[in-house]
Amino acid sequence: MSGLQTIITWSVFIFLPLILPGCIASVGDDSPFYRNCVSICVTANCTNDYNSRNSKETSFPGNIIAWPCLEECRYHCMWVTVDAFLRRGWDVPQFHGRWPFVRFLGLQEPASVLFSLLNFSSHMIMLQLFRKEVPRTAPMYWVWHFHSLVCMHAWFWSSVFHGWETPLTEKMDYFCAYSMVLCSLYVMGLRFFSATINFKTLSLTVLCGGLFVYHVTYLSLVKFDYSYNMQANIIVGALNALGWLLWCAWPQSCTSAKSRKLCIISVLLAIASTALEILDFPPVFWSIDAHALWHLSTAFLPLLWYRFLIMDCNSMCVAHMEKQKKIF
């Protein structure tokens, strides 16, 4: 087995706990207590299409999201069930594959929404700094613009999904998250090739574009497979991290030791932050769980990463100008 295969295998093994929970039924929604509560609530408050409600018990004024009656009943019965479990000294149960969260203004997971928007803001603010400090003539200038837009688009849909889970928002969150990971791998490859248009970069573009189309098509038309989606993200993410670390170890005349150090620190911190995804505990104050903390930790990574990009692009620009002077 090659070194790359070993890294991928161990990555999948380490992050396997992230895949398994989606395949196991939740204790809360499997309990007869919860099911009976939902059945009674729906019968008393909902029409046949579950879209209306006529009971104050399932009405939450001030919500910016109008949840269907069935979802309102599930939310109400979730807390009734949690209270029943805690009074008996049992562990906090999960419902439909997730921990119980207190809604805020109707948002399903307000902390994750806030931290996703924080990630969006970090990319937006640092992109503005990048535009100020890097000349447009830099070889990777527009490539990193493209990467930033992909990241902001992904974090936007992450905030929407965590606030309002529907089949559409779930798919958009999954597709955009994969696009962000795959785009990072793509631009890493372009950096190896100095972003020049040639057979290698065109082949890389076709390969990454094909992988994204396949991923979306499979999940949309064949099977919405949580395990496959997680494995795909882990493998692409592992390749991306390995690629940048190899790039930093490669002798380069146009890259300073300080910029390579920033790159290594950013990559290692990104790897370390994924450890939060392995943790699994009931949300603190019914709002912040390990996944929300992971979103919070990634919000600070762009502050380092864009500093590296600024230094690297400026170094490439200087090297390019010196090369042109030698030609003429």
Side-chain angles (χ1 to χ4, degrees):
M1 182 178 291
S2 67
L4 178 58
Q5 289 175 323
T6 302
I7 291 174
I8 294 174
T9 301
W10 276 102
S11 297
V12 174
F13 175 77
I14 291 172
F15 290 100
L16 193 59
L18 297 177
I19 301 170
L20 294 177
C23 305
I24 302 173
S26 300
V27 174
D29 57 273
D30 263 359
S31 67
F33 186 89
Y34 172 82
R35 292 186 177 185
N36 290 336
C37 177
V38 172
S39 177
I40 293 172
C41 179
V42 167
T43 301
N45 298 287
C46 303
T47 60
N48 291 333
D49 59 5
Y50 302 140
N51 289 323
S52 64
R53 60 191 181 206
N54 52 31
S55 171
K56 294 182 179 180
E57 186 176 39
T58 58
S59 178
F60 297 90
N63 288 355
I64 60 176
I65 296 175
W67 289 95
C69 184
L70 175 60
E71 294 301 324
E72 294 281 29
C73 282
R74 286 177 173 175
Y75 181 74
H76 166 73
C77 292
M78 175 182 73
W79 290 114
V80 173
T81 305
V82 168
D83 181 65
F85 270 56
L86 293 180
R87 281 190 285 106
R88 289 165 174 78
W90 299 346
D91 293 334
V92 177
Q94 289 189 338
F95 298 83
H96 306 286
R98 63 176 65 247
W99 292 110
F101 291 92
V102 171
R103 291 178 184 170
F104 176 72
L105 298 178
L107 298 175
Q108 189 168 267
E109 298 178 39
S112 289
V113 172
L114 176 62
F115 298 153
S116 293
L117 291 175
L118 187 60
N119 276 275
F120 177 93
S121 300
S122 294
H123 280 280
M124 183 175 63
I125 292 171
M126 294 307 294
L127 177 61
Q128 294 303 314
L129 180 64
F130 177 88
R131 291 170 62 89
K132 289 180 181 179
E133 299 193 11
V134 177
R136 296 194 175 195
T137 54
M140 293 284 288
Y141 183 84
W142 294 111
V143 171
W144 287 118
H145 273 69
F146 170 68
H147 177 263
S148 295
L149 292 176
V150 170
C151 291
M152 286 188 283
H153 184 247
W155 285 115
F156 166 77
W157 279 108
S158 174
S159 64
V160 173
F161 167 67
H162 286 296
W164 186 30
E165 182 180 352
T166 67
L168 174 61
T169 60
E170 183 179 36
K171 285 184 172 64
M172 290 302 297
D173 177 60
Y174 276 53
F175 298 161
C176 293
Y178 183 72
S179 73
M180 180 166 56
V181 176
L182 188 61
C183 182
S184 296
L185 180 67
Y186 173 62
V187 296
M188 181 272 297
L190 291 181
R191 182 62 185 90
F192 264 104
F193 305 134
S194 298
T196 56
I197 300 177
N198 52 42
F199 178 76
K200 292 180 180 179
T201 55
L202 289 176
S203 298
L204 180 65
T205 302
V206 172
L207 174 62
C208 291
L211 287 174
F212 182 71
V213 171
Y214 172 81
H215 188 78
V216 172
T217 302
Y218 178 81
L219 292 178
S220 301
L221 303 179
V222 181
K223 181 183 179 183
F224 196 71
D225 191 329
Y226 296 89
S227 298
Y228 158 74
N229 178 74
M230 184 61 69
Q231 290 174 0
N233 278 277
I234 289 173
I235 291 173
V236 174
L239 289 173
N240 181 46
L242 178 63
W244 279 114
L245 293 177
L246 289 175
W247 179 84
C248 290
W250 203 269
Q252 302 165 74
S253 59
C254 66
T255 304
S256 66
K258 185 176 181 181
S259 65
R260 289 198 298 270
K261 184 178 179 180
L262 278 176
C263 179
I264 293 173
I265 293 174
S266 299
V267 171
L268 293 180
L269 286 177
I271 295 173
S273 68
T274 58
L276 289 169
E277 285 284 67
I278 300 177
L279 300 176
D280 195 27
F281 54 83
V284 180
F285 304 120
W286 305 115
S287 299
I288 302 176
D289 66 338
H291 185 72
L293 290 177
W294 174 67
H295 282 329
L296 178 61
S297 67
T298 57
F300 299 99
L301 294 179
L303 305 181
L304 283 176
W305 183 249
Y306 280 80
R307 289 290 180 183
F308 155 67
L309 299 184
I310 291 170
M311 295 178 64
D312 185 58
C313 286
N314 285 333
S315 298
M316 290 179 67
C317 190
V318 171
H320 180 72
M321 293 176 61
E322 292 179 350
K323 184 177 181 180
Q324 292 297 319
K325 288 180 181 178
K326 292 180 179 179
I327 294 176
F328 294 103

